[in-house]
Amino acid sequence: MDYKKKISVIVPCFNEEESLLAFNQTLFRYLPEMYCYEIIYVNDGSRDKTLPIILSLAKENTSVKYISFSRNFGHQNALKAGYDFASGDCAICLDADLQHPPEVIPELIAKWEEGFEIVNTIRKDHNSISAKKKLSSQIFYKLMRSLSDVQIETGMADFRLVDKKVLKQLNLFRENFLFFRGIIPWMGFRQANIEFKANERFAGTTKYTVKKMLTFAITGVTAFSIKPLRLSIYIGSFIAMLSFLYGLYAVIFFLFTDKVITGWTSVIISVLFVGGINLLMLGVIGEYLGKIFIENKRRPNYLISESNLFQV
Ligand code: UDP
Ligand code: MG
């Protein structure tokens, strides 16, 4: 009997009761037959019927596996769990809402068979994506590129294939503030990009609230570079230089005129301005300090309460 290569499909799910059945059906329709599969649903602390639905899918089909978290740990940690336990010759991760179209999976596999070890996908925006999402994603990727040292292409999605070699290396990552879209380009290996058109969310609403998105953006930058800290040196020096010039002007003004009491406006403006910049930079330093604090605890990225892959 021929050895069939095994492909792991990782699907993070957070309150996806409305999409899951349709997703599962569509997924199986597009999985090429010459491979065997394990579908790993990672239930990220859903509060709806997501878990019972996954359990029933697992009952019907032995290739359906699941890992259920004890609470919501976030999308990136759900991906990490999938990567940690995937046992395939390669692993593909995609969203449960059908925005990452399963019909692209055969293309990902074809690239892998060509010899690429990582196959990334780039989302090409079109009308199905809301203007708000388009704009925020444009700003996000621009910011990421200018503030961090990795070159992330605009539209890079958490929809990708990685070879088992890469999976093994991913297991070595023990950081709490995960940002796979940065880690993956940083890893090297033979990488290919393919484009896809995102569908509209099949059902339900986005699980990335504005707050989650903002946290994600700050993590993206601060987990990846110390440029913001360096920026504070530049801004600090620039302001120090301006203050020096202004101080010079004030001294001359004091020495050669008798109208020293005027200038309240400029004093209050500079005090507020410098105070504001100071607070901002303290915030930046605090952000890094906080990350060091949390990373230092070496807490696990997620806690598992149930699974059919292993004994919990
Ligand atoms: N997700 C998750 N945990 C979270 C937020 C999201 O596992 O805390 C999952 C979600 O179920 C979906 C994927 O991550 O499968 C992407 O989330 P979503 O579609 O809400 O984000 P968007 O596509 O709007 O960026
Ligand atoms: Mg989505």
Side-chain angles (χ1 to χ4, degrees):
M1 199 186 86
D2 273 348
Y3 168 72
K4 266 190 177 179
K5 287 187 195 165
K6 182 175 170 185
I7 296 180
S8 305
V9 180
I10 300 165
V11 192
C13 310
F14 176 51
N15 295 343
E16 297 287 4
E17 61 179 8
E18 292 163 290
S19 314
L20 258 183
L21 286 175
F23 170 83
N24 193 70
Q25 234 172 27
T26 319
L27 176 69
F28 276 98
R29 200 174 326 138
Y30 290 103
L31 294 177
E33 264 174 31
M34 64 267 231
Y35 302 94
C36 61
Y37 294 92
E38 69 173 352
I39 316 299
I40 306 179
Y41 286 106
V42 185
N43 173 36
D44 183 14
S46 301
R47 287 178 283 267
D48 63 359
K49 297 202 187 66
T50 300
L51 184 59
I53 295 172
I54 295 174
L55 293 178
S56 72
L57 290 173
K59 217 176 238 168
E60 282 163 26
N61 188 334
T62 50
S63 56
V64 173
K65 308 291 178 199
Y66 64 91
I67 297 170
S68 186
F69 287 174
S70 62
R71 63 166 170 86
N72 180 254
F73 281 92
H75 179 206
Q76 300 292 299
N77 288 321
L79 285 177
K80 166 92 173 120
Y83 284 142
D84 285 347
F85 295 103
S87 61
D89 294 296
C90 73
I92 297 170
C93 57
L94 76 169
D95 288 357
D97 58 5
L98 288 170
Q99 280 191 303
H100 296 159
E103 52 266 39
V104 179
I105 289 178
E107 273 180 67
L108 291 173
I109 298 174
K111 281 278 175 206
W112 173 58
E113 291 286 12
E114 271 177 41
F116 289 101
E117 291 149 327
I118 296 176
V119 189
N120 295 303
T121 66
I122 310 288
R123 189 185 75 203
K124 284 291 150 202
D125 284 342
H126 64 137
N127 298 335
S128 72
I129 304 286
S130 73
K132 193 178 105 197
K133 183 100 196 169
K134 258 187 209 170
L135 186 73
S136 63
S137 108
Q138 291 256 330
I139 296 174
F140 175 70
Y141 288 104
K142 278 247 164 66
L143 199 75
M144 275 305 299
R145 271 195 299 268
S146 56
L147 285 179
S148 74
D149 303 315
V150 281
Q151 289 304 309
I152 304 178
E153 280 198 45
T154 300
M156 177 83 90
D158 278 315
F159 174 24
R160 71 177 72 83
L161 180 149
V162 297
D163 185 76
K164 68 165 182 267
K165 251 190 252 176
V166 180
L167 276 178
K168 202 170 158 196
Q169 303 303 319
L170 278 173
N171 285 351
L172 301 177
F173 285 76
R174 286 275 163 257
E175 50 198 274
N176 281 115
F177 296 95
L178 280 170
F179 181 65
F180 282 112
R181 280 173 232 181
I183 290 175
I184 297 283
W186 176 89
M187 286 180 85
F189 291 99
R190 263 166 293 165
Q191 304 206 10
N193 291 345
I194 61 177
E195 293 183 354
F196 76 97
K197 275 198 177 132
N199 294 322
E200 239 164 295
R201 198 171 222 293
F202 177 76
T205 51
T206 175
K207 307 300 180 292
Y208 267 101
T209 53
V210 174
K211 193 174 148 217
K212 264 192 188 173
M213 215 137 73
L214 205 65
T215 311
F216 190 56
I218 293 179
T219 292
V221 174
T222 54
F224 251 87
S225 100
I226 51 166
K227 272 194 193 167
L229 288 176
R230 212 168 296 150
L231 201 67
S232 62
I233 299 178
Y234 296 140
I235 296 179
S237 330
F238 178 66
I239 292 185
M241 201 180 69
L242 284 187
S243 318
F244 176 74
L245 291 178
Y246 190 71
L248 215 61
Y249 162 77
V251 170
I252 294 171
F253 203 65
F254 174 73
L255 289 178
F256 301 107
T257 67
D258 50 4
K259 292 182 282 184
V260 276
I261 202 70
T262 53
W264 178 83
T265 321
S266 50
V267 169
I268 201 75
I269 287 175
S270 35
V271 166
L272 290 178
F273 180 63
V274 174
I277 296 280
N278 250 322
L279 273 181
L280 179 77
M281 291 314 162
L282 263 181
V284 173
I285 294 172
E287 180 65 34
Y288 282 95
L289 190 69
K291 287 216 158 58
I292 295 171
F293 170 70
I294 294 190
E295 292 287 5
N296 229 349
K297 294 179 196 287
R298 304 224 150 257
R299 286 201 181 148
N301 286 61
Y302 49 80
L303 297 175
I304 297 168
S305 67
E306 240 177 279
S307 175
N308 62 350
L309 276 170
F310 44 82
Q311 199 77 36
V312 179

